[in-house]
Amino acid sequence: MIGVLNAYRFEADSPAYQLAYEPMCLNFLNRTDPNETFKNYDFALGEEPKSLAECDAWIITGSPKSAYDKDQWILRLGSFIRECHSQ
């Protein structure tokens, strides 16, 4: 299973264009490899994997936010990436 860390939808009351992103992204990935299973995590809204072992690989979506912003979810995502790298 491949985990998709959604960083695009970062507001609880998301605008329509953010709501459309997840199905569009997952649809693309499913067409790319129909034999693979993808699991979405709305990381920016607090839905985070419980452990690195939940999935075999991770994809991080794009975001209108910057990796240099100081939002708490961005800092947690940075920690998650560093933990993946160390494994």
Side-chain angles (χ1 to χ4, degrees):
M1 180 179 333
I2 297 176
V4 179
L5 305 178
N6 188 342
Y8 194 75
R9 184 171 171 229
F10 54 87
E11 298 170 340
D13 189 18
S14 299
Y17 71 90
Q18 285 184 356
L19 295 173
Y21 187 78
E22 177 185 328
M24 179 184 67
C25 182
L26 292 176
N27 184 38
F28 170 78
L29 291 170
N30 285 318
R31 283 186 315 200
T32 302
D33 188 349
N35 297 317
E36 186 60 72
T37 304
F38 298 92
K39 178 173 174 150
N40 183 71
Y41 296 85
D42 282 322
F43 200 98
L45 293 176
E47 184 185 351
E48 301 175 19
K50 292 175 183 54
S51 77
L52 295 178
E54 277 188 46
C55 294
D56 302 312
W58 301 97
I59 295 172
I60 303 169
T61 68
S63 177
K65 293 282 193 170
S66 168
Y68 300 104
D69 287 342
K70 300 297 181 203
D71 299 40
Q72 287 301 307
W73 70 267
I74 294 172
L75 300 175
R76 286 192 315 276
L77 183 56
S79 294
F80 185 86
I81 293 166
R82 286 187 292 280
E83 188 177 346
C84 285
H85 179 70
S86 71
Q87 295 292 322

Coordinates of all heavy atoms in Angstrom, one line a residue:
M1 N 0.8 -1.2 0.0 CA 0.0 0.0 0.0 C 0.9 1.2 0.0 O 1.9 1.3 0.7 CB -0.9 0.0 1.2 CG -1.8 1.2 1.2 SD -3.0 1.4 2.6 CE -3.3 -0.3 3.1
I2 N 0.5 2.2 -0.8 CA 1.2 3.5 -0.8 C 0.3 4.6 -0.1 O -0.9 4.7 -0.4 CB 1.5 3.9 -2.3 CG1 2.4 2.9 -2.9 CG2 2.1 5.3 -2.3 CD1 2.7 3.1 -4.3
G3 N 0.9 5.3 0.8 CA 0.2 6.3 1.5 C 0.4 7.7 0.8 O 1.5 8.0 0.4
V4 N -0.7 8.4 0.7 CA -0.7 9.7 0.0 C -0.9 10.7 1.1 O -2.0 10.8 1.7 CB -1.8 9.8 -1.1 CG1 -1.8 11.2 -1.7 CG2 -1.6 8.7 -2.1
L5 N 0.1 11.5 1.4 CA 0.0 12.6 2.5 C -0.5 13.8 1.8 O 0.3 14.5 1.1 CB 1.4 12.8 3.1 CG 2.0 11.5 3.7 CD1 3.4 11.8 4.3 CD2 1.1 10.8 4.7
N6 N -1.8 14.1 2.0 CA -2.4 15.3 1.3 C -2.1 16.6 2.1 O -2.5 16.8 3.2 CB -3.9 15.0 1.3 CG -4.6 16.0 0.5 OD1 -4.1 17.1 0.2 ND2 -5.9 15.7 0.1
A7 N -1.3 17.4 1.5 CA -0.9 18.7 2.0 C -1.6 19.8 1.3 O -1.4 21.0 1.6 CB 0.6 18.9 1.9
Y8 N -2.5 19.4 0.4 CA -3.2 20.5 -0.4 C -4.5 21.0 0.3 O -4.8 22.2 0.2 CB -3.6 19.9 -1.7 CG -4.0 20.9 -2.7 CD1 -3.1 21.7 -3.4 CD2 -5.4 21.1 -3.1 CE1 -3.4 22.7 -4.3 CE2 -5.7 22.0 -4.0 CZ -4.8 22.8 -4.6 OH -5.1 23.8 -5.5
R9 N -5.1 20.1 1.0 CA -6.3 20.5 1.7 C -5.9 20.8 3.2 O -5.7 19.9 4.0 CB -7.4 19.4 1.7 CG -8.7 19.8 2.3 CD -9.7 18.7 2.1 NE -10.9 19.1 2.9 CZ -11.5 18.2 3.7 NH1 -11.2 17.0 3.7 NH2 -12.5 18.7 4.4
F10 N -5.8 22.1 3.5 CA -5.3 22.5 4.8 C -6.3 23.3 5.6 O -5.9 23.8 6.7 CB -4.0 23.2 4.7 CG -4.0 24.4 3.7 CD1 -4.4 25.6 4.2 CD2 -3.7 24.2 2.4 CE1 -4.4 26.7 3.3 CE2 -3.7 25.3 1.5 CZ -4.1 26.5 2.0
E11 N -7.5 23.5 5.2 CA -8.5 24.2 5.9 C -9.7 23.3 6.2 O -10.1 22.5 5.3 CB -9.0 25.4 5.1 CG -7.9 26.4 4.8 CD -8.4 27.5 3.8 OE1 -9.3 27.2 3.0 OE2 -7.7 28.5 3.7
A12 N -10.2 23.3 7.4 CA -11.3 22.4 7.8 C -12.5 22.7 6.9 O -13.2 21.8 6.4 CB -11.7 22.6 9.2
D13 N -12.8 24.0 6.6 CA -13.8 24.4 5.7 C -13.2 24.8 4.3 O -13.2 25.9 3.9 CB -14.5 25.6 6.3 CG -15.8 26.0 5.5 OD1 -16.3 25.1 4.8 OD2 -16.3 27.1 5.7
S14 N -12.8 23.7 3.6 CA -12.0 23.9 2.4 C -12.9 24.4 1.3 O -14.0 24.0 1.1 CB -11.4 22.6 2.0 OG -10.5 22.1 3.0
P15 N -12.3 25.2 0.4 CA -12.9 25.7 -0.8 C -13.1 24.5 -1.8 O -12.4 23.5 -1.7 CB -12.1 26.8 -1.4 CG -10.8 26.8 -0.6 CD -11.0 25.9 0.6
A16 N -14.0 24.6 -2.7 CA -14.3 23.5 -3.6 C -13.1 23.0 -4.4 O -12.9 21.8 -4.6 CB -15.4 24.0 -4.6
Y17 N -12.2 23.9 -4.8 CA -11.0 23.4 -5.5 C -10.1 22.5 -4.7 O -9.5 21.6 -5.2 CB -10.2 24.6 -6.1 CG -9.4 25.4 -5.1 CD1 -8.1 25.1 -4.8 CD2 -10.0 26.5 -4.5 CE1 -7.4 25.8 -3.8 CE2 -9.3 27.3 -3.6 CZ -8.0 26.9 -3.3 OH -7.3 27.7 -2.4
Q18 N -10.1 22.7 -3.4 CA -9.3 21.8 -2.5 C -10.0 20.5 -2.3 O -9.4 19.4 -2.2 CB -9.1 22.5 -1.1 CG -8.0 23.5 -1.1 CD -7.7 24.1 0.2 OE1 -8.4 23.7 1.2 NE2 -6.8 25.0 0.3
L19 N -11.3 20.5 -2.2 CA -12.1 19.3 -2.1 C -12.0 18.4 -3.3 O -12.0 17.1 -3.2 CB -13.6 19.6 -1.8 CG -13.9 20.3 -0.5 CD1 -15.4 20.7 -0.5 CD2 -13.5 19.4 0.7
A20 N -11.8 19.0 -4.5 CA -11.7 18.2 -5.7 C -10.4 17.6 -5.9 O -10.2 16.6 -6.7 CB -12.0 19.1 -6.9
Y21 N -9.4 18.0 -5.2 CA -8.0 17.6 -5.4 C -7.8 16.1 -5.0 O -7.1 15.4 -5.7 CB -7.0 18.5 -4.6 CG -5.6 18.2 -4.8 CD1 -5.0 18.7 -6.0 CD2 -4.8 17.5 -3.9 CE1 -3.6 18.5 -6.2 CE2 -3.5 17.3 -4.2 CZ -2.9 17.8 -5.3 OH -1.6 17.6 -5.6
E22 N -8.3 15.7 -3.8 CA -8.1 14.3 -3.4 C -8.6 13.3 -4.4 O -7.9 12.4 -4.8 CB -8.7 14.1 -2.0 CG -8.6 12.7 -1.5 CD -9.3 12.5 -0.2 OE1 -9.4 13.5 0.6 OE2 -9.8 11.4 0.0
P23 N -9.9 13.4 -4.8 CA -10.4 12.4 -5.8 C -9.6 12.4 -7.1 O -9.3 11.4 -7.7 CB -11.8 12.7 -6.0 CG -12.2 13.8 -5.0 CD -10.9 14.3 -4.4
M24 N -9.2 13.6 -7.5 CA -8.5 13.7 -8.8 C -7.1 13.1 -8.6 O -6.7 12.3 -9.5 CB -8.3 15.2 -9.1 CG -7.5 15.5 -10.4 SD -7.2 17.2 -10.7 CE -6.1 17.6 -9.4
C25 N -6.4 13.3 -7.5 CA -5.1 12.7 -7.3 C -5.2 11.2 -7.2 O -4.4 10.5 -7.8 CB -4.5 13.3 -6.0 SG -2.9 12.8 -5.6
L26 N -6.1 10.7 -6.4 CA -6.3 9.2 -6.2 C -6.7 8.6 -7.5 O -6.2 7.5 -7.8 CB -7.2 8.9 -5.1 CG -6.7 9.3 -3.7 CD1 -7.8 9.0 -2.6 CD2 -5.4 8.6 -3.3
N27 N -7.6 9.2 -8.3 CA -8.0 8.7 -9.6 C -6.8 8.5 -10.5 O -6.6 7.5 -11.2 CB -9.1 9.5 -10.2 CG -9.6 9.0 -11.5 OD1 -9.8 7.8 -11.6 ND2 -9.9 9.8 -12.4
F28 N -5.9 9.6 -10.5 CA -4.7 9.5 -11.3 C -3.8 8.4 -10.9 O -3.3 7.6 -11.7 CB -4.0 10.9 -11.3 CG -2.6 10.8 -11.9 CD1 -2.5 10.9 -13.3 CD2 -1.5 10.7 -11.1 CE1 -1.2 10.8 -13.9 CE2 -0.2 10.6 -11.7 CZ -0.1 10.7 -13.1
L29 N -3.6 8.2 -9.6 CA -2.7 7.2 -9.1 C -3.3 5.8 -9.4 O -2.5 4.9 -9.8 CB -2.5 7.4 -7.6 CG -1.6 8.6 -7.2 CD1 -1.7 8.8 -5.7 CD2 -0.2 8.5 -7.7
N30 N -4.6 5.6 -9.2 CA -5.2 4.3 -9.5 C -5.1 4.0 -11.0 O -4.9 2.8 -11.3 CB -6.6 4.3 -9.1 CG -6.8 4.2 -7.6 OD1 -6.0 3.5 -6.9 ND2 -7.7 5.0 -7.0
R31 N -5.2 5.0 -11.9 CA -5.0 4.7 -13.3 C -3.5 4.4 -13.6 O -3.2 3.6 -14.5 CB -5.5 5.9 -14.2 CG -7.0 6.0 -14.3 CD -7.3 7.0 -15.2 NE -6.5 8.2 -14.9 CZ -6.7 9.4 -15.2 NH1 -7.8 9.7 -15.9 NH2 -6.0 10.4 -14.8
T32 N -2.6 5.0 -12.9 CA -1.2 4.8 -13.1 C -0.8 3.3 -12.8 O 0.0 2.7 -13.5 CB -0.3 5.7 -12.3 OG1 -0.7 7.1 -12.6 CG2 1.1 5.6 -12.5
D33 N -1.3 2.8 -11.7 CA -1.0 1.4 -11.3 C -2.3 0.8 -10.6 O -2.5 0.9 -9.4 CB 0.1 1.4 -10.3 CG 0.6 -0.1 -10.0 OD1 -0.1 -1.0 -10.4 OD2 1.6 -0.2 -9.4
P34 N -3.2 0.2 -11.5 CA -4.4 -0.3 -10.9 C -4.2 -1.5 -10.0 O -5.1 -1.8 -9.2 CB -5.2 -0.7 -12.2 CG -4.3 -0.7 -13.3 CD -3.1 0.1 -12.9
N35 N -3.0 -2.0 -9.9 CA -2.8 -3.2 -9.0 C -2.3 -2.7 -7.7 O -2.2 -3.5 -6.7 CB -1.7 -4.1 -9.6 CG -2.2 -4.7 -10.9 OD1 -3.3 -5.1 -11.0 ND2 -1.3 -4.7 -11.9
E36 N -2.0 -1.4 -7.5 CA -1.6 -0.9 -6.2 C -2.7 -0.3 -5.4 O -3.7 0.1 -6.0 CB -0.5 0.2 -6.5 CG 0.2 0.7 -5.2 CD 0.9 -0.3 -4.4 OE1 1.9 -0.8 -4.9 OE2 0.4 -0.7 -3.4
T37 N -2.6 -0.3 -4.1 CA -3.6 0.3 -3.3 C -3.0 1.6 -2.7 O -1.9 1.6 -2.3 CB -4.0 -0.7 -2.1 OG1 -4.4 -1.9 -2.6 CG2 -5.0 -0.1 -1.2
F38 N -3.9 2.6 -2.7 CA -3.4 3.9 -2.2 C -4.4 4.3 -1.1 O -5.6 4.2 -1.2 CB -3.5 5.0 -3.3 CG -2.6 4.7 -4.5 CD1 -3.0 4.0 -5.6 CD2 -1.3 5.1 -4.5 CE1 -2.2 3.7 -6.6 CE2 -0.4 4.8 -5.5 CZ -0.9 4.1 -6.6
K39 N -3.8 4.9 0.0 CA -4.5 5.3 1.1 C -4.2 6.8 1.3 O -3.1 7.2 1.4 CB -4.2 4.6 2.4 CG -4.9 5.1 3.6 CD -4.7 4.2 4.8 CE -5.4 4.9 5.9 NZ -5.9 4.2 6.9
N40 N -5.3 7.6 1.4 CA -5.1 9.1 1.5 C -5.1 9.4 3.0 O -5.9 8.9 3.8 CB -6.3 9.8 0.9 CG -6.1 11.3 0.9 OD1 -5.3 11.9 0.3 ND2 -7.0 11.9 1.8
Y41 N -4.2 10.3 3.4 CA -4.2 10.9 4.7 C -4.3 12.4 4.5 O -3.5 13.0 3.9 CB -2.9 10.6 5.4 CG -2.6 9.1 5.7 CD1 -2.1 8.3 4.7 CD2 -3.0 8.6 6.9 CE1 -1.8 7.0 5.0 CE2 -2.7 7.2 7.2 CZ -2.2 6.4 6.2 OH -1.9 5.1 6.5
D42 N -5.3 13.0 5.1 CA -5.4 14.5 5.1 C -4.5 15.0 6.1 O -4.9 15.5 7.2 CB -6.9 15.0 5.3 CG -7.7 14.8 4.1 OD1 -7.2 15.1 3.0 OD2 -8.9 14.4 4.2
F43 N -3.2 14.9 5.8 CA -2.1 15.3 6.8 C -2.3 16.7 7.3 O -2.2 16.9 8.5 CB -0.8 15.1 6.1 CG 0.4 15.0 7.1 CD1 0.8 13.7 7.5 CD2 0.9 16.1 7.8 CE1 1.9 13.6 8.4 CE2 1.9 15.9 8.7 CZ 2.4 14.7 9.0
A44 N -2.6 17.6 6.5 CA -2.7 19.0 6.9 C -3.9 19.3 7.8 O -3.9 20.3 8.5 CB -2.7 19.9 5.6
L45 N -4.8 18.4 7.8 CA -6.0 18.5 8.7 C -5.9 17.6 9.9 O -6.8 17.4 10.6 CB -7.3 18.1 7.9 CG -7.6 19.1 6.8 CD1 -8.9 18.6 6.1 CD2 -7.9 20.5 7.4
G46 N -4.7 17.0 10.1 CA -4.4 16.2 11.3 C -4.6 14.7 11.2 O -4.4 14.0 12.1
E47 N -4.9 14.3 10.0 CA -5.0 12.8 9.8 C -3.7 12.3 9.4 O -3.2 12.4 8.2 CB -6.1 12.5 8.7 CG -6.3 11.0 8.5 CD -7.2 10.7 7.3 OE1 -7.8 11.6 6.7 OE2 -7.3 9.5 7.0
E48 N -2.9 11.7 10.3 CA -1.6 11.3 10.1 C -1.4 9.8 10.3 O -2.2 9.2 11.1 CB -0.6 12.1 11.1 CG -0.7 13.6 10.9 CD 0.1 14.3 11.9 OE1 1.0 13.7 12.6 OE2 -0.2 15.5 12.1
P49 N -0.5 9.2 9.7 CA -0.3 7.7 9.9 C 0.2 7.5 11.3 O 0.8 8.3 11.9 CB 0.9 7.4 8.9 CG 1.0 8.5 8.0 CD 0.4 9.7 8.6
K50 N -0.2 6.4 11.9 CA 0.2 6.0 13.2 C 1.6 5.6 13.3 O 2.3 5.7 14.3 CB -0.8 5.0 13.8 CG -2.2 5.5 14.0 CD -3.1 4.3 14.5 CE -4.5 4.7 14.6 NZ -5.1 5.4 13.5
S51 N 2.1 5.0 12.2 CA 3.5 4.6 12.1 C 3.9 4.6 10.7 O 3.1 4.6 9.7 CB 3.7 3.2 12.7 OG 3.2 2.2 11.8
L52 N 5.3 4.6 10.5 CA 5.8 4.5 9.1 C 5.4 3.2 8.5 O 5.4 3.1 7.2 CB 7.3 4.6 9.2 CG 7.9 5.9 9.6 CD1 9.4 5.8 9.7 CD2 7.5 7.0 8.7
A53 N 5.2 2.1 9.2 CA 4.9 0.8 8.7 C 3.5 0.6 8.2 O 3.2 -0.4 7.6 CB 5.2 -0.2 9.8
E54 N 2.7 1.7 8.3 CA 1.3 1.5 7.8 C 1.3 1.4 6.3 O 0.4 0.8 5.7 CB 0.5 2.8 8.1 CG -0.1 2.8 9.5 CD -1.1 3.9 9.7 OE1 -1.9 4.2 8.9 OE2 -0.9 4.5 10.8
C55 N 2.3 1.9 5.6 CA 2.4 1.9 4.1 C 3.8 1.5 3.7 O 4.7 1.7 4.5 CB 2.0 3.2 3.5 SG 0.2 3.6 3.8
D56 N 3.9 1.0 2.5 CA 5.2 0.6 2.0 C 6.0 1.7 1.4 O 7.2 1.7 1.3 CB 5.0 -0.5 0.9 CG 4.3 -1.7 1.4 OD1 4.7 -2.2 2.4 OD2 3.3 -2.1 0.7
A57 N 5.3 2.8 1.0 CA 5.9 4.0 0.4 C 5.0 5.1 0.7 O 3.8 5.0 1.0 CB 6.2 3.8 -1.1
W58 N 5.5 6.3 0.5 CA 4.8 7.6 0.8 C 4.9 8.5 -0.4 O 6.0 8.7 -0.9 CB 5.3 8.2 2.1 CG 5.1 7.3 3.3 CD1 6.1 6.5 3.8 CD2 4.0 7.1 4.0 NE1 5.6 5.8 4.8 CE2 4.3 6.1 5.0 CE3 2.7 7.6 4.0 CZ2 3.4 5.6 5.9 CZ3 1.8 7.1 4.9 CH2 2.1 6.1 5.9
I59 N 3.8 9.2 -0.7 CA 3.8 10.3 -1.6 C 3.2 11.5 -0.9 O 2.3 11.4 -0.2 CB 2.8 10.0 -2.8 CG1 3.4 8.8 -3.6 CG2 2.7 11.2 -3.7 CD1 2.4 8.3 -4.7
I60 N 3.9 12.7 -1.1 CA 3.4 13.9 -0.5 C 2.9 14.8 -1.7 O 3.6 15.0 -2.6 CB 4.5 14.6 0.2 CG1 5.1 13.7 1.3 CG2 4.0 15.9 0.9 CD1 6.4 14.3 1.9
T61 N 1.6 15.2 -1.5 CA 1.1 16.1 -2.6 C 1.7 17.5 -2.5 O 2.3 17.9 -1.5 CB -0.4 16.2 -2.4 OG1 -0.7 17.0 -1.2 CG2 -1.1 14.9 -2.4
G62 N 1.5 18.2 -3.6 CA 1.8 19.6 -3.6 C 0.9 20.4 -2.7 O -0.1 19.9 -2.1
S63 N 1.2 21.7 -2.5 CA 0.4 22.5 -1.6 C 0.7 23.9 -1.9 O 1.7 24.3 -2.3 CB 0.9 22.3 -0.1 OG 0.2 23.1 0.8
P64 N -0.4 24.8 -1.7 CA -0.2 26.2 -1.9 C 0.7 26.8 -0.8 O 1.2 27.9 -0.9 CB -1.6 26.8 -1.8 CG -2.5 25.7 -1.9 CD -1.8 24.5 -1.5
K65 N 0.9 26.0 0.3 CA 1.7 26.4 1.4 C 3.2 26.1 1.1 O 3.5 25.3 0.2 CB 1.4 25.7 2.7 CG 0.0 26.0 3.3 CD 0.1 27.3 4.0 CE -1.2 27.5 4.8 NZ -1.0 28.6 5.7
S66 N 4.1 26.8 1.8 CA 5.5 26.6 1.6 C 6.1 25.7 2.6 O 5.6 25.6 3.8 CB 6.2 28.0 1.7 OG 7.6 27.8 1.7
A67 N 7.1 24.9 2.2 CA 7.8 24.0 3.2 C 8.4 24.9 4.3 O 8.8 24.3 5.3 CB 8.8 23.2 2.5
Y68 N 8.6 26.2 4.1 CA 9.3 27.0 5.0 C 8.3 27.7 6.0 O 8.7 28.4 6.9 CB 10.1 28.1 4.3 CG 11.2 27.4 3.5 CD1 11.1 27.4 2.1 CD2 12.3 26.9 4.1 CE1 12.1 26.8 1.3 CE2 13.3 26.3 3.3 CZ 13.2 26.2 1.9 OH 14.1 25.6 1.2
D69 N 7.0 27.5 5.7 CA 6.0 28.1 6.6 C 6.0 27.4 8.0 O 6.6 26.3 8.1 CB 4.5 27.9 6.0 CG 4.3 28.9 4.9 OD1 5.0 29.9 4.7 OD2 3.3 28.6 4.1
K70 N 5.6 28.1 9.0 CA 5.7 27.5 10.4 C 4.4 26.9 10.9 O 4.3 26.7 12.1 CB 6.2 28.7 11.3 CG 7.5 29.3 10.9 CD 8.6 28.2 11.0 CE 9.9 28.9 10.6 NZ 10.9 27.9 10.2
D71 N 3.5 26.6 10.0 CA 2.2 25.9 10.5 C 2.6 24.6 11.2 O 3.6 24.0 10.8 CB 1.3 25.6 9.3 CG 0.9 26.8 8.5 OD1 1.7 27.7 8.3 OD2 -0.3 26.9 8.1
Q72 N 1.9 24.3 12.2 CA 2.3 23.1 13.0 C 2.2 21.8 12.1 O 3.1 20.9 12.3 CB 1.3 22.9 14.2 CG 1.6 23.9 15.3 CD 3.0 23.8 15.8 OE1 3.5 22.7 16.2 NE2 3.8 24.9 15.8
W73 N 1.3 21.7 11.2 CA 1.2 20.5 10.4 C 2.4 20.4 9.5 O 2.9 19.3 9.2 CB -0.1 20.4 9.6 CG -0.3 21.4 8.5 CD1 -0.9 22.6 8.6 CD2 0.1 21.2 7.1 NE1 -0.9 23.2 7.4 CE2 -0.3 22.4 6.5 CE3 0.8 20.2 6.4 CZ2 0.0 22.6 5.1 CZ3 1.0 20.4 5.1 CH2 0.6 21.6 4.4
I74 N 3.0 21.5 9.0 CA 4.1 21.5 8.1 C 5.4 21.1 8.9 O 6.2 20.3 8.5 CB 4.4 22.9 7.5 CG1 3.2 23.2 6.6 CG2 5.7 23.0 6.8 CD1 3.2 24.7 6.0
L75 N 5.5 21.5 10.2 CA 6.6 21.1 11.0 C 6.5 19.6 11.3 O 7.5 18.9 11.3 CB 6.6 21.9 12.3 CG 6.8 23.4 12.2 CD1 6.6 24.1 13.5 CD2 8.1 23.7 11.5
R76 N 5.2 19.1 11.6 CA 5.1 17.7 11.8 C 5.4 16.9 10.5 O 6.0 15.8 10.6 CB 3.6 17.3 12.2 CG 3.3 17.8 13.7 CD 2.0 17.2 14.2 NE 0.9 17.3 13.3 CZ 0.1 18.4 13.2 NH1 0.4 19.5 13.9 NH2 -0.9 18.4 12.3
L77 N 5.0 17.4 9.4 CA 5.3 16.7 8.1 C 6.8 16.6 7.9 O 7.4 15.6 7.5 CB 4.7 17.4 6.9 CG 4.9 16.8 5.6 CD1 4.4 15.3 5.5 CD2 4.1 17.6 4.5
G78 N 7.5 17.7 8.2 CA 9.0 17.7 8.2 C 9.6 16.6 9.1 O 10.5 15.9 8.7
S79 N 9.1 16.5 10.3 CA 9.5 15.4 11.2 C 9.2 14.0 10.6 O 10.1 13.1 10.7 CB 8.8 15.6 12.5 OG 9.2 16.7 13.2
F80 N 8.1 13.9 10.0 CA 7.7 12.6 9.4 C 8.7 12.3 8.3 O 9.2 11.1 8.2 CB 6.3 12.7 8.9 CG 5.8 11.4 8.3 CD1 5.2 10.4 9.2 CD2 5.9 11.1 7.0 CE1 4.8 9.2 8.7 CE2 5.4 9.9 6.5 CZ 4.9 8.9 7.3
I81 N 9.0 13.2 7.4 CA 10.0 13.0 6.3 C 11.3 12.6 6.9 O 12.0 11.7 6.4 CB 10.1 14.3 5.5 CG1 8.7 14.5 4.7 CG2 11.2 14.2 4.5 CD1 8.6 15.9 4.1
R82 N 11.8 13.3 7.9 CA 13.1 13.0 8.5 C 13.1 11.6 9.1 O 14.1 10.8 9.0 CB 13.5 14.0 9.5 CG 13.9 15.4 8.9 CD 14.5 16.3 9.9 NE 13.5 16.8 10.9 CZ 12.6 17.8 10.6 NH1 12.6 18.4 9.4 NH2 11.7 18.2 11.4
E83 N 12.0 11.2 9.7 CA 11.9 9.8 10.3 C 11.9 8.8 9.2 O 12.5 7.8 9.3 CB 10.6 9.7 11.1 CG 10.5 8.4 11.9 CD 9.3 8.3 12.7 OE1 8.6 9.3 13.0 OE2 9.0 7.2 13.2
C84 N 11.2 9.1 8.1 CA 11.2 8.2 6.9 C 12.7 8.0 6.4 O 13.1 6.9 6.1 CB 10.3 8.7 5.8 SG 8.6 8.5 6.0
H85 N 13.3 9.1 6.3 CA 14.7 9.1 5.8 C 15.6 8.3 6.7 O 16.5 7.5 6.2 CB 15.2 10.5 5.6 CG 16.6 10.6 5.1 ND1 17.0 10.3 3.8 CD2 17.8 10.9 5.7 CE1 18.3 10.4 3.6 NE2 18.8 10.8 4.8
S86 N 15.4 8.4 8.0 CA 16.3 7.7 8.9 C 16.0 6.2 8.9 O 16.9 5.4 9.3 CB 16.2 8.3 10.3 OG 14.9 7.9 10.9
Q87 N 14.9 5.8 8.5 CA 14.5 4.4 8.4 C 15.1 3.8 7.2 O 15.2 2.6 7.0 CB 13.0 4.2 8.4 CG 12.4 4.6 9.7 CD 12.7 3.7 10.9 OE1 12.9 2.5 10.8 NE2 12.9 4.4 12.1

